Amino acid sequence: MDKMAVRGGHQLNGVTAASGAKNSALPLLFATLLADGEHVFHNVPDLVDVKSACALLESLGCETCYKDHTLRVFVKPARVAEASYDIVRKMRASILCLGPLLARYMEAKVSLPGGCAIGTRPIDLHLEGMKAMGAEISVDAGYVLAKTVKLQGAKILFEAPTVGGTENVMMAATLADGETLIENAAKEPEIVDLANYLNKMGAKVEGAGTSIIRIRGVNKLKAAEHTVIPDRIEAGTLLIAGAITGGEVTVTRSAPADLEALIVKMRESGFKITTSGDSVTVHRTRGWRGVDITTAPHPAFATDLQAQFMALMTQAEGTSVITETVFENRFMHVQELVRLNADITPKTRVAVVRGTPGKLMGAPVMATDLRASACLVLAGLVAEGETVVNRIYHLDRGYENMEAKLMALGAQVERVK
Ligand code: EPZ
């Protein structure tokens, strides 16, 4: 069970590059099921979750080849349109193969994804979207069974924006008969990236990035080539790593526009942030103020940056009120930060952080989910002494070579068996 040992007190300075976006690469990989042939993706991050998605594609008869951040997916007609539990349980995003399989093969058998530490993570909105397009859905022995004669275009209003639900319905609608309208669609940059790729494949998707997406069904799609957008969550995490140590860090190969909500809040807290082209820089600072944040669907403050920002606020002067509106249980990192001597009072969806600059004390802590593990590493960068983050495998799911990037900036971090 890998651990990461972090020695506090080293200022981070320098330039680092963001990798491709995990949450864009995953839906892109499942979109390949919509068309046979060789799909080519560049800037694909080297992550455990990408490997899991490739394993699922291979179980569906595809071949994958990953080299130097380029991933080739050779899709052949699937022998069985089934995503098994032992793969889906490792990565809940596997549910994104439901829409493509149903649209292409008129049937799909996909294991229900488990919940995870941050919440129950239901897929009811995904299934309602498929039903609206004419699919018969049943759940049996932990599997979703979906069948249709042919998917029909439909008007779908999501009661709440769902990233995965929007992606699943958008992919399914590309091969449906007629036009589909998704209202209250999620607007994340990863949705836009997926729509751009679907259109390269010959689909007719309009409005991605807004709350109304229109998809006109076509008969057939073809394999294409695409470059994955930068990972805005990794870029934000690296920026906060520089900020929390008072250093100057530039993140290149990023998309500053996708980080607007974080940049606004860091500036409000007192950081000087500059952007130029694909780079964003946090400049040295001697202190910062507590600010309140509320997470919500894009373009609001990303829930995936909430834990990392909380670590930063433990070192602020004053109090921050952190409200999490997207997931019902995304404060698992709070008690671990308290073990490092942070002063935080968690309520149900609100945590009150009383800043205690320079008071974090290193200790063994436990990572519970992907972004919580990043938060604990960031806190370890400024805690006195050594912080050992257990269950660091969570980090490997979503961050490519995090320790190498942090060490190159001057951090003292080491992976220990
Ligand atoms: C995506 O998850 C991301 N994962 C998550 O990133 C991210 O936190 C989340 O979007 C929100 O931005 C990927 O893209 C692979 P949702 P997703 O459907 O699609 C509820 C990370 O750290 N909901 O937008 O699962 C749900 O419970 C991960 O990289 C339903 O109720 O998120 C949640 O409260 C963590 N029914 C809210 O909506 C549904 O059918 C938002 O979920 C679907 C969702």
Side-chain angles (χ1 to χ4, degrees), residues 287-412:
W288 54 93
R289 291 181 300 283
V291 293
D292 299 347
I293 62 163
T294 297
T295 68
H298 193 77
F301 196 97
T303 174
D304 291 350
L305 283 171
Q306 176 256 108
Q308 299 90 311
F309 194 79
M310 186 184 288
L312 184 63
M313 289 298 105
T314 67
Q315 300 306 289
E317 296 289 342
T319 298
S320 321
V321 177
I322 295 185
T323 306
E324 170 60 56
T325 71
V326 177
F327 289 106
E328 71 267 25
N329 185 30
R330 202 167 198 175
F331 284 150
M332 307 286 276
H333 45 283
V334 170
Q335 291 315 324
E336 298 303 315
L337 287 172
V338 169
R339 283 181 49 74
L340 301 178
N341 199 36
D343 183 352
I344 307 173
T345 309
K347 304 282 179 196
T348 45
R349 292 219 176 203
V350 172
V352 179
V353 182
R354 287 170 202 81
T356 52
K359 295 275 191 307
L360 291 185
M361 310 300 289
V365 288
M366 181 79 72
T368 49
D369 63 85
L370 168 54
R371 306 305 174 181
S373 52
C375 149
L376 295 172
V377 171
L378 295 179
L381 294 175
V382 290
E384 191 176 318
E386 181 176 76
T387 298
V388 177
V389 183
N390 291 285
R391 297 190 181 172
I392 203 68
Y393 59 84
H394 288 292
L395 197 76
D396 300 334
R397 291 192 46 194
Y399 289 97
E400 180 180 337
N401 287 336
M402 176 57 84
E403 67 261 33
K405 291 187 179 182
L406 293 177
M407 278 194 280
L409 293 169
Q412 297 283 311

Side-chain angles (χ1 to χ4, degrees), residues 233-244:
I233 305 304
E234 187 211 14
T237 305
L238 291 165
L239 212 57
I240 294 173
I244 200 170

Side-chain angles (χ1 to χ4, degrees), residues 129-136 147-152 154:
M130 301 302 155
K131 281 181 204 158
M133 290 195 282
E136 281 167 48
K147 264 190 190 341
T148 181
V149 174
K150 172 85 171 156
L151 288 178
Q152 303 299 317

Side-chain angles (χ1 to χ4, degrees), residues 22-24 26-27 49 91-93 95-96 116 118-127 158-167 186 188 190 232-233 296-298 302-304 325-328 330 349 369-371 398:
K22 165 179 88 81
N23 291 348
S24 188
L26 296 177
D49 273 9
M91 188 186 63
R92 34 177 296 87
I95 191 62
L96 294 174
C116 73
I118 64 179
T120 54
R121 314 278 306 266
I123 58 164
D124 55 316
L125 301 177
H126 297 235
L127 302 183
F158 280 127
E159 69 185 55
T162 156
V163 173
T166 302
E167 290 166 342
E188 273 67 7
E190 293 77 28
R232 60 196 167 99
I233 305 304
H298 193 77
T303 174
D304 291 350
T325 71
V326 177
F327 289 106
E328 71 267 25
R330 202 167 198 175
R349 292 219 176 203
D369 63 85
L370 168 54
R371 306 305 174 181

Side-chain angles (χ1 to χ4, degrees), residues 189-252:
E190 293 77 28
I191 306 263
V192 178
D193 203 29
L194 176 61
N196 289 339
Y197 185 61
L198 291 171
N199 286 337
K200 282 181 183 176
M201 291 172 71
K204 297 185 182 330
V205 181
E206 294 165 9
T210 73
S211 19
I212 298 182
I213 301 177
R214 186 184 302 274
I215 305 108
R216 282 172 288 144
V218 296
N219 290 326
K220 196 169 166 51
L221 296 171
K222 64 184 187 328
E225 185 160 0
H226 190 67
T227 297
V228 179
I229 58 171
D231 192 315
R232 60 196 167 99
I233 305 304
E234 187 211 14
T237 305
L238 291 165
L239 212 57
I240 294 173
I244 200 170
T245 63
E248 177 170 300
V249 166
T250 295
V251 183
T252 60

